[in-house]
Amino acid sequence: MIRYTTLDGWLDTFNCPNFGDINYTMREALSLYALHGVQLGGFGRALIAGDLASASVRADLENTAVLPKLVQWCQVYLPPEARGSYDAVNNWKGCRPRL
């Protein structure tokens, strides 16, 4: 598991009751994308790009069960320029400077 101290605040966004059942691996992947622009796998890319048809086909059982919550988290916590299209996903470099 990759650990960054800057992830702490982002991972805490999942601790509220609405997002608590999203698995830790997906939490970490979304947080790394949000903070550092680390690209996700096929499911995560489709989710963030807003391609829900592709995301639902690529999702495993755990993520299928929480897909509406994942969509909600992305809408609430990702800046508009980081989501909504594959171009936005490809161009996102993160909201924190890389060291």
Side-chain angles (χ1 to χ4, degrees):
M1 174 181 350
I2 300 170
R3 293 193 185 268
Y4 292 93
T5 57
T6 55
L7 285 177
D8 295 343
W10 283 87
L11 289 175
D12 284 344
T13 66
F14 294 101
N15 290 332
C16 64
N18 290 346
F19 305 118
D21 51 353
I22 296 172
N23 71 59
Y24 188 84
T25 303
M26 197 66 207
R27 296 176 191 199
E28 187 172 52
L30 287 170
S31 297
L32 285 170
Y33 171 77
L35 291 171
H36 303 290
V38 175
Q39 291 298 312
L40 298 131
F43 166 71
R45 287 178 54 78
L47 169 72
I48 292 171
D51 183 0
L52 297 183
S54 183
S56 64
V57 170
R58 296 169 184 264
D60 60 17
L61 291 176
E62 277 186 291
N63 287 324
T64 298
V66 295
L67 187 56
K69 291 181 180 186
L70 287 165
V71 171
Q72 183 184 14
W73 186 91
C74 290
Q75 290 174 340
V76 171
Y77 292 106
L78 289 178
E81 60 272 15
R83 59 182 164 82
S85 71
Y86 285 104
D87 284 340
V89 174
N90 291 335
N91 293 327
W92 181 247
K93 303 299 183 217
C95 61
R96 305 270 183 174
R98 294 180 189 205
L99 301 176

